[in-house]
Amino acid sequence: MKTFIISCHIGWFMSVSAVRAESLQSSVLISPEIKHSSPTCRLRLRYFLWDSGHTGLGSTPLWASILHQDSQEAVVWRPEASSIHSWREATIFLGRISSPFHIHLHSERLDGRKGDVAIDQLEFLDCALPLPPPGTNCSAGMVMCHSGGCVEQRQLCDGTDDCGDGSDEEPCDDYQRCDFEEGLCNWDLRSISRLKWIRTNQENISRTDPQKGPGRDHSNNTASGHFLYVTVPDSGLTTDWASFQSSPFEPTNSSHPCK
């Protein structure tokens, strides 16, 4: 077992303790509880990965996940495991999370020295939901949410809960939308290639390996949410392609442009 520790040489940061073990050792830095986040929410941080002992960083020296209130966890960040003797900056897209959650910063190694893996200067950016305007009405080009906040007209029916109460996503009967939660929505996944698109979720791909799959879907921001995913046959591939197509659409015009 290894731990995140506070280190100081004038400035302070969080680092992983030294480890010498035959089996993989892990450490987790856990954030305070966060009530919820907006669709634009991001976490910016500085991280340090340095293989000072020249023993190899391994495939997962550092990654981040979100742990939901229902104990469901989803990977949200996996930096390249390259060794550079310098601080680097990363921005983690958190997105809309409607219930309380924690952020977990993980590290796994077999062999490493103190300070090889470090974290510093964490900042949350644009995580608040829209607030009610100073007056009684939203400004030009904005639409009022049921909660009283204002969002841009272009954010209506875009598949993202920008208001925080879902009111910008209803009613959207004139839109053909598909988040693949209920099925394929008439998208045709048939392929003449051995490389194929399938409907799946992160739980079906892997719940234990942070290197496999996208970690979560975009619609629900969870490991159980569905998406389309390209599968590779067990025999492997040299060069191949995969495609899928929509059902036929009606002709468009200037008053109903297609996007």
Side-chain angles (χ1 to χ4, degrees):
M1 181 68 179
K2 59 179 180 173
T3 58
F4 275 95
I5 60 175
I6 300 175
S7 300
C8 174
H9 182 72
I10 301 177
W12 295 83
F13 53 88
M14 297 296 294
S15 68
V16 172
S17 59
V19 58
R20 295 286 187 273
E22 295 182 0
S23 60
L24 197 64
Q25 303 293 299
S26 62
S27 178
V28 184
L29 178 64
I30 303 175
S31 75
E33 184 181 79
I34 302 168
K35 297 300 182 184
H36 55 75
S37 63
S38 72
T40 55
C41 185
R42 308 180 306 284
L43 172 62
R44 186 164 63 194
L45 55 80
R46 280 72 180 175
Y47 68 99
F48 184 85
L49 291 177
W50 172 241
D51 183 17
S52 58
H54 305 288
T55 56
L57 288 169
S59 61
T60 53
L62 183 65
W63 80 95
S65 66
I66 51 177
L67 183 67
H68 294 266
Q69 195 174 30
D70 60 1
S71 298
Q72 187 180 94
E73 192 166 14
V75 175
V76 295
W77 179 58
R78 294 168 292 198
E80 181 183 355
S82 57
S83 176
I84 299 176
H85 197 239
S86 174
W87 286 97
R88 287 175 275 183
E89 181 180 300
T91 300
I92 303 172
F93 173 73
L94 298 176
R96 175 71 177 125
I97 303 173
S98 59
S99 59
F101 65 97
H102 293 271
I103 297 170
H104 287 194
L105 290 164
H106 306 257
S107 180
E108 285 187 350
R109 292 198 70 177
L110 291 170
D111 192 4
R113 299 182 182 178
K114 183 173 68 175
D116 281 0
V117 178
I119 293 289
D120 199 9
Q121 205 171 342
L122 289 85
E123 308 168 79
F124 287 97
L125 307 172
D126 302 324
C127 291
L129 293 169
L131 297 173
T136 57
N137 297 315
C138 297
S139 57
M142 306 289 282
V143 177
M144 183 168 286
C145 307
H146 290 168
S147 60
C150 301
V151 297
E152 296 180 39
Q153 182 80 34
R154 63 177 179 81
Q155 294 175 301
L156 299 182
C157 298
D158 65 351
T160 301
D161 179 17
D162 299 287
C163 284
D165 59 10
S167 57
D168 57 307
E169 297 303 308
E170 55 184 33
C172 300
D173 296 338
D174 293 335
Y175 291 78
Q176 291 193 33
R177 304 189 301 175
C178 186
D179 57 12
F180 301 107
E181 292 307 317
E182 303 300 326
L184 295 177
C185 316
N186 294 322
W187 285 88
D188 186 355
L189 306 188
R190 288 178 296 177
S191 173
I192 61 174
S193 161
R194 291 192 303 144
L195 193 64
K196 300 182 185 301
W197 287 94
I198 62 169
R199 173 182 170 269
T200 187
N201 59 27
Q202 183 62 38
E203 290 181 337
N204 289 331
I205 298 171
S206 176
R207 292 299 304 271
T208 58
D209 189 344
Q211 296 292 86
K212 292 183 177 180
R216 54 181 169 164
D217 77 321
H218 183 270
S219 307
N220 297 322
N221 214 4
T222 65
S224 60
H226 289 79
F227 47 81
L228 296 188
Y229 185 72
V230 174
T231 62
V232 178
D234 294 336
S235 57
L237 293 170
T238 51
T239 301
D240 216 326
W241 56 271
S243 65
F244 63 96
Q245 64 182 4
S246 70
S247 57
F249 289 105
E250 296 295 327
T252 62
N253 54 45
S254 57
S255 62
H256 293 82
C258 183
K259 298 181 181 178

